[in-house]
Amino acid sequence: MDLERNRKANPALILLSTLFLTGLLTLLYSWHGDPSNGESFRTLAELRSLSEDGKFFSFQEPLPFLLLSFWKSIFGLNYIPAYLSFAAFFLSLGVHLCAYIMERESWKLNHYLFCYLAAINPFSYLVPLNMLGELVSFSFLLVLFLSFRMETVVDLLILVSCTVLGFFSHFTFFLIGFTIFVIKAGTVGIREKKKQQSVFFKRRNLPKLFLFGYLSVLVLGIILLGNLNFYGAHSFAYMGGAVWKYLLGFGSFILILFVGNFLLRSEKELNSIPASIGIFALIAVSGYFTIRPILGVDKLKLNSLAKDITSLKGRLIVDQDERIYVSPETSAYLYFISKQKTHFTSYPEMREKDYILLSEVWAVDRKLLQREVKAKNTPYLFLSGERVLINGFLWKRIQTDPSLKTLKTRSIEAKSELSDQKGYDDLKAFFISWLSSSKAPDV
């Protein structure tokens, strides 16, 4: 049987396909219950904080989390179902928009199947769980790619609105995506617009000058961001790692869609039922790899830590004004599971009576603490799972006391896991204050 009969790309059918894929992805994400990766729990902590406290848990680009909170309120979902369905929707929307940009004339059955294959492939599967802000920004950038004309005032309004929305969704990803947009608009768009008598393109060199100017500013900005430690001590490495991460995640499904659309245009055999069965088989294989367990945080250990901290505060062994410093992932998990607030940044500076969490402290080191550290108010608290809370005074002593040198490595590791105050955090704070100042996090 031949499926050569062309069907014009129907926005209603594409929307229905988007919703169907959203449901399928939500089912796959829910296969193993709660998510197990640290970034998901940071998102869930933001969602719970916005829903219950009316504030952000930490400094983030605000728009994705405000939209997620609105999504949860509209559909009346619990935290995890709301998060997973929201993430699945934006991945499905991004894949379909990307496919529609590549093929706007006609959509056959296999166009939809390639969308499902692109979304369910193992590389794309983790995108919503690890890069939700980037995914929301990606959707706004695709709308910009799709609607950009620069012929009317409405086009200009779409350009400005999508730019602002993408910018407030994720700063870093927006810079990369908007650069690609400018290059496309300044090269392919120039050739297309030269055929029309548009007021924007009367001067031939105007688009080229704009493109050259933008790229010059971008290169200068990257150099400044790196040298000014905008992303921390290893800013250039961070930016390089971000580009690689985006290429693996977003590049994987874009490549699948591009190859699929190219083959559907050039190979008529791919528009047949046997080809559809083959693509469906690939989707099934991808689905098998996506529903396999994904290694992430150790929830059993973190649950025991949550119980320990709740018990210490409930018995007033740790006062409410005494801060406990842990890694960002641990802090997010503790807040989402038990609503216990801990500190995960090196600012404000740890005081002598504050505590910091040391992990993998073996029995011999515990005995060392009991033997060498004698004080009226014990500067350490033993927890379950080879974990110890030590206060700021003891942390400083460990750095200089030779008798405690076996604990020095663990103490330095614990301090290094804290998040440094970066220029990027200041930018996120500005985003929150500009968009929703009343929801700024407590620091």
Side-chain angles (χ1 to χ4, degrees):
M1 180 178 178
D2 188 12
L3 299 180
E4 186 66 21
R5 294 189 301 270
N6 286 350
R7 295 181 179 178
K8 290 294 182 181
N10 189 329
L13 290 177
I14 294 176
L15 177 60
L16 288 175
S17 178
T18 300
L19 296 177
F20 176 78
L21 181 56
T22 298
L24 180 60
L25 288 170
T26 303
L27 177 64
L28 293 176
Y29 291 140
S30 306
W31 193 268
H32 292 287
D34 298 350
S36 298
N37 60 313
E39 190 60 36
S40 288
F41 284 109
R42 296 180 75 169
T43 302
L44 289 168
E46 298 291 347
L47 178 58
R48 180 169 187 178
S49 183
L50 282 170
S51 300
E52 298 184 11
D53 298 335
K55 293 180 179 294
F56 280 90
F57 174 73
S58 62
F59 290 116
Q60 301 282 354
E61 287 93 342
L63 188 57
F65 302 99
L66 294 175
L67 291 175
L68 175 56
S69 179
F70 179 72
W71 177 281
K72 177 184 179 299
S73 300
I74 288 295
F75 293 103
L77 299 171
N78 291 329
Y79 292 113
I80 293 178
Y83 165 56
L84 294 180
S85 59
F86 179 82
F89 170 74
F90 270 94
L91 177 58
S92 178
L93 178 64
V95 166
H96 281 82
L97 286 176
C98 193
Y100 183 67
I101 290 174
M102 295 178 185
E103 178 55 63
R104 306 189 193 188
E105 296 300 323
S106 63
W107 273 48
K108 308 179 185 69
L109 171 63
N110 289 353
H111 284 89
Y112 295 99
L113 292 180
F114 269 114
C115 286
Y116 303 153
L117 177 61
I120 300 176
N121 89 82
F123 290 105
S124 302
Y125 175 75
L126 293 176
V127 168
L129 300 180
N130 292 313
M131 295 176 276
L132 183 63
E134 292 93 325
L135 190 58
V136 175
S137 181
F138 178 70
S139 298
F140 289 124
L141 285 167
L142 288 177
V143 174
L144 186 59
F145 272 86
L146 189 62
S147 60
F148 178 72
R149 296 291 185 277
M150 285 302 288
E151 295 175 350
T152 66
V153 175
V154 175
D155 296 330
L156 186 61
L157 291 176
I158 292 176
L159 172 66
V160 173
S161 60
C162 288
T163 300
V164 172
L165 292 172
F167 191 72
F168 278 84
S169 297
H170 199 275
F171 169 75
T172 306
F173 186 86
F174 173 80
L175 285 183
I176 299 172
F178 196 73
T179 299
I180 298 173
F181 166 73
V182 169
I183 293 174
K184 179 182 180 297
T187 54
V188 178
I190 289 174
R191 291 196 296 268
E192 293 177 355
K193 294 302 178 182
K194 278 182 178 179
K195 302 174 184 178
Q196 305 175 9
Q197 295 298 321
S198 175
V199 66
F200 292 96
F201 293 91
K202 283 185 177 180
R203 291 185 59 187
R204 285 188 174 185
N205 61 339
L206 184 60
K208 291 182 179 180
L209 288 175
F210 174 76
L211 176 61
F212 177 78
Y214 176 84
L215 293 178
S216 300
V217 172
L218 178 69
V219 171
L220 179 61
I222 291 174
I223 295 173
L224 289 176
L225 292 178
N227 287 310
L228 295 176
N229 293 328
F230 181 76
Y231 293 107
H234 307 286
S235 291
F236 286 113
Y238 175 90
M239 288 185 281
V243 172
W244 176 246
K245 180 175 66 172
Y246 299 153
L247 285 176
L248 286 179
F250 293 89
S252 63
F253 69 74
I254 292 175
L255 180 62
I256 290 174
L257 292 174
F258 177 80
V259 172
N261 277 281
F262 176 79
L263 293 176
L264 286 173
R265 290 174 186 168
S266 59
E267 303 293 336
K268 293 184 178 181
E269 292 80 4
L270 280 179
N271 295 302
S272 61
I273 286 291
S276 300
I277 295 174
I279 300 172
F280 184 81
L282 289 175
I283 295 173
V285 172
S286 295
Y288 167 76
F289 285 104
T290 58
I291 63 175
R292 294 178 66 184
I294 299 172
L295 298 177
V297 298
D298 191 334
K299 289 187 284 188
L300 291 177
K301 285 188 175 181
L302 289 178
N303 283 336
S304 66
L305 177 61
K307 293 177 182 178
D308 290 339
I309 292 179
T310 302
S311 176
L312 290 173
K313 290 189 174 182
R315 291 181 291 151
L316 300 180
I317 296 176
V318 175
D319 295 335
Q320 294 298 323
D321 64 333
E322 293 175 346
R323 298 190 289 259
I324 298 177
Y325 288 84
V326 297
S327 67
E329 292 78 11
T330 301
S331 180
Y333 186 91
L334 293 176
Y335 180 82
F336 176 67
I337 294 299
S338 62
K339 212 177 178 183
Q340 291 293 335
K341 291 189 176 181
T342 51
H343 284 258
F344 53 89
T345 64
S346 55
Y347 177 84
E349 187 177 355
M350 184 171 60
R351 302 166 300 186
E352 289 192 350
K353 65 177 182 178
D354 294 333
Y355 289 93
I356 187 169
L357 178 68
L358 271 61
S359 300
E360 298 182 5
V361 179
W362 311 123
V364 62
D365 292 322
R366 291 187 175 209
K367 292 180 181 179
L368 178 66
L369 279 175
Q370 292 175 322
R371 185 178 69 250
E372 298 294 336
V373 180
K374 307 289 186 181
K376 182 179 180 181
N377 295 320
T378 307
Y380 57 84
L381 298 168
F382 293 143
L383 307 178
S384 59
E386 289 80 39
R387 290 184 295 250
V388 179
L389 287 176
I390 65 171
N391 65 17
F393 172 79
L394 180 56
W395 188 91
K396 294 177 181 177
R397 177 181 167 182
I398 289 173
Q399 311 312 305
T400 57
D401 192 337
S403 64
L404 299 173
K405 64 180 180 180
T406 58
L407 289 165
K408 186 174 181 179
T409 300
R410 295 296 181 210
S411 65
I412 293 176
E413 287 177 354
K415 195 72 177 291
S416 66
E417 288 178 353
L418 302 180
S419 176
D420 295 327
Q421 190 74 8
K422 303 179 287 289
Y424 192 22
D425 296 320
D426 295 333
L427 179 65
K428 293 174 183 176
F430 169 75
F431 285 164
I432 293 174
S433 65
W434 195 88
L435 195 62
S436 184
S437 59
S438 63
K439 298 182 182 296
D442 297 325
V443 294

